[in-house]
């Protein structure tokens, strides 16, 4: 699979743009471009535009940088136990796999 084929796409039905810069990730495993995420998730209560799940938890919606700096990558998991780092990595890989190979 080439790099272009496995780029994440905005899950907003009418958008589907290749994501870069910042994106919005949901607890229900969807991802949105910054434009649609900012618009959709500024409303209360927040609802996922892809699956209509309620997103009421503090970490149910997260705005993330898709290409973090080397400094950020060096520090973000520093100090965590190895099993925690592996758990986080496993969840991130499962999210990526779900996005590039939807059911």
């Amino acid at each position: 699979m080439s790099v272009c084929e496995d780029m994440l796409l905005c899950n907003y039905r009418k958008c589907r743009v290749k994501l870069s810069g910042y994106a919005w990730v949901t607890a229900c495993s969807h991802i949105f471009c910054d434009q649609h995420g900012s618009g959709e998730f500024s409303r209360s209560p927040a609802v996922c535009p892809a699956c209509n799940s309620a997103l009421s938890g503090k970490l149910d919606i997260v705005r993330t940088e898709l290409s973090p700096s080397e400094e950020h990558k060096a520090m973000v998991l520093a100090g965590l136990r190895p099993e925690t780092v592996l758990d986080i990595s496993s969840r991130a890989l499962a999210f990526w796999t779900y996005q590039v190979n939807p059911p």
Side-chain angles (χ1 to χ4, degrees):
M1 187 176 291
S2 76
V3 172
C4 290
E5 291 174 350
D6 66 0
M7 293 280 300
L8 296 180
L9 303 176
C10 178
N11 291 167
Y12 194 78
R13 288 180 184 93
K14 295 180 181 178
C15 181
R16 305 297 293 164
V17 68
K18 290 180 182 177
L19 298 173
S20 63
Y22 288 88
W24 294 79
V25 179
T26 65
C28 51
S29 296
H30 292 104
I31 190 166
F32 301 93
C33 65
D34 206 23
Q35 176 186 351
H36 286 109
S38 295
E40 290 294 318
F41 302 131
S42 64
R43 301 181 184 117
S44 186
V47 174
C48 179
C51 68
N52 295 318
S53 293
L55 301 168
S56 57
K58 181 180 176 184
L59 294 175
D60 282 356
I61 309 164
V62 176
R63 184 176 183 251
T64 189
E65 187 174 2
L66 296 174
S67 296
S69 69
E70 290 302 313
E71 293 84 6
H72 178 81
K73 291 189 280 186
M75 296 302 295
V76 70
L77 299 177
L80 299 179
R81 296 179 55 82
E83 57 268 19
T84 302
V85 173
L86 290 173
D87 183 41
I88 292 167
S89 298
S90 175
R91 292 172 191 235
L93 291 169
F95 178 88
W96 181 271
T97 301
Y98 173 79
Q99 285 293 317
V100 298
N101 300 305

